[in-house]
Amino acid sequence: MARLFPILDLSLFEQGPAARTTFLRDLRYAARDVGFFYLDGHGITLDEIDRLFELSRQFFDLPAQEKLRIEMVNSSQFRGYTRVAGERTRGQTDWREQLDFGIEREPVPQNGRQPAWTRLHGPNQWPEALPQLRPAVLDWQAKVADVAIRLLKAFALSLEQPEDVFEPIYGEGANHRMKIVRYPGRERTDDDQGVGAHKDGGFLTLLLQDNVGGLQVEYGGKWVDVEPVPGTLVVNIGELLELASNGYLRATLHRVVTPPRGAERYSAPFFFGARLDATIPLLDLHEELAAEAKGPASDPENPLFRDVGVNVLKSRLRSHPDVAERHYADLLKAS
């Protein structure tokens, strides 16, 4: 039986013309057909992968009071620790605990005249009890961002665009996010939502998952398992690429099912995003591709906007109502 989610080797993109042409063809097909694929040849070593998983386990094994010292509700940038059942997807509770990071920046001084999304710039929260986590996460962010940039250039070429067509909106000041996640097991008689069905809002998501299954993709009206493949990153299309390609590339619904009681699942998704002050362009696709672009599939309950900062803040406020109530009460009252 053929594998639904192909394994693509990014190193082929940097080889000769024939290998590059093959890679771009396979990339466009995988992205348009299912929107998910495994990425090999990315250059991140197994030792680096194992190190991030080990530090993730050490963090989640810390006493609750240590993790709650950096609880997300303390951060107007939506950075920090979220306990189990502390986040929502489409209004339903997710059964996972996580630690969210963004790009380390100074906060933007506020005088009431800036767009509300400027409040999202700022620092991360780091656990004092695990100081080695900070350099490891910052190093991981840098490495995966480099992979994402190489891949986004390949996407541009696969759409017959200049390879740097997206660079003005993912360059300096881009809003990448990352998290380390633990899904604790529970009885199957309970709700099995680890994280509910959703699409990702950035350009690309590059996911590191352990050997415990649970990630599923909607394909052909059914939920299909994305089985772990050691050493690979799972890549999926985000809504920004769907917008830019007028729906030629589609962000795909996916979810995570909780593992059974006695098991646990670890993952580290990296969300490659755009500058918060950017507006997503509509690419001028060649005639053949344009004919197959049917427009982005926007959810009426969660509409897409081409203004990146508006989209990102909307998503954060919906997912973390406790942070919204503490730091964005003015917006909630105005809505």
Side-chain angles (χ1 to χ4, degrees):
M1 180 178 177
R3 182 189 297 274
L4 176 60
F5 308 107
I7 299 177
L8 303 185
D9 184 347
L10 183 58
S11 69
L12 295 178
F13 178 59
E14 282 121 7
Q15 295 182 18
R20 171 174 280 211
T21 298
T22 299
F23 177 80
L24 293 178
R25 180 199 64 207
D26 294 344
L27 176 67
R28 190 168 73 184
Y29 175 79
R32 179 160 174 76
D33 182 44
V34 293
F36 268 73
F37 57 90
Y38 302 96
L39 189 68
D40 203 356
H42 44 67
I44 300 175
T45 68
L46 289 176
D47 285 344
E48 290 167 327
I49 290 172
D50 291 342
R51 177 62 172 162
L52 186 64
F53 275 136
E54 176 57 30
L55 288 170
S56 297
R57 294 186 184 95
Q58 290 181 29
F59 172 76
F60 291 117
D61 284 344
L62 290 174
Q65 64 268 26
E66 288 294 333
K67 292 182 285 189
L68 291 173
R69 290 179 190 273
I70 55 170
E71 195 170 13
M72 183 184 283
V73 74
N74 300 324
S75 167
S76 61
Q77 290 80 36
F78 296 87
R79 320 279 181 86
Y81 173 70
T82 302
R83 68 185 81 195
V84 173
E87 185 177 11
R88 299 177 188 174
T89 300
R90 295 193 172 188
Q92 302 299 312
T93 300
D94 294 329
W95 192 253
R96 60 179 178 174
E97 60 176 332
Q98 59 195 24
L99 182 56
D100 279 71
F101 313 96
I103 301 299
E104 286 277 7
R105 292 195 178 97
E106 292 297 319
V108 175
Q110 298 291 318
N111 59 18
R113 294 191 295 272
Q114 299 89 344
W117 51 257
T118 59
R119 303 186 214 176
L120 296 173
H121 288 303
N124 293 304
Q125 296 191 84
W126 302 99
E128 292 184 4
L130 191 63
Q132 58 269 47
L133 183 63
R134 176 173 180 158
V137 164
L138 294 179
D139 183 63
W140 183 266
Q141 285 181 319
K143 284 185 167 62
V144 182
D146 178 69
V147 173
I149 289 170
R150 291 154 60 199
L151 194 52
L152 197 58
K153 289 179 178 180
F155 268 109
L157 291 173
S158 77
L159 295 172
E160 301 178 19
Q161 304 289 313
E163 72 170 17
D164 61 353
V165 68
F166 296 117
E167 188 171 349
I169 55 178
Y170 70 69
E172 186 177 353
N175 182 59
H176 310 318
R177 295 191 302 111
M178 173 190 167
K179 59 180 72 181
I180 55 174
V181 188
R182 172 181 172 267
Y183 295 89
R186 57 178 171 175
E187 298 292 349
R188 290 300 188 189
T189 52
D190 298 336
D191 182 358
D192 67 355
Q193 177 169 312
V195 60
H198 66 287
K199 299 178 181 180
D200 292 340
F203 274 119
L204 298 167
T205 299
L206 291 85
L207 170 73
L208 178 66
Q209 61 174 348
D210 67 5
N211 61 1
V212 177
L215 176 63
Q216 297 181 334
V217 171
E218 186 182 55
Y219 184 76
K222 298 179 180 180
W223 288 107
V224 181
D225 292 326
V226 185
E227 299 288 351
V229 176
T232 66
L233 299 170
V234 177
V235 180
N236 66 275
I237 304 302
E239 290 173 320
L240 296 188
L241 269 184
E242 183 171 343
L243 278 172
S245 66
N246 196 35
Y248 181 85
L249 301 177
R250 289 204 175 270
T252 307
L253 274 176
H254 55 285
R255 69 181 185 181
V256 175
V257 176
T258 52
R261 186 176 295 278
E264 57 186 1
R265 176 181 187 267
Y266 290 88
S267 69
F270 178 86
F271 308 96
F272 187 84
R275 297 170 57 100
L276 291 176
D277 60 354
T279 300
I280 301 304
L282 181 61
L283 299 179
D284 184 16
L285 298 178
H286 290 182
E287 184 176 352
E288 182 180 345
L289 300 182
E292 297 178 352
K294 304 303 182 183
S298 185
D299 182 349
E301 297 183 5
N302 187 24
L304 293 175
F305 302 103
R306 291 190 178 274
D307 297 321
V308 174
V310 174
N311 255 344
V312 172
L313 181 57
K314 171 173 62 71
S315 173
R316 299 286 80 200
L317 294 174
R318 287 165 61 102
S319 298
H320 296 279
D322 54 343
V323 182
E325 290 169 6
R326 177 173 293 189
H327 299 284
Y328 295 88
D330 56 323
L331 300 185
L332 300 181
K333 290 177 183 178
S335 62

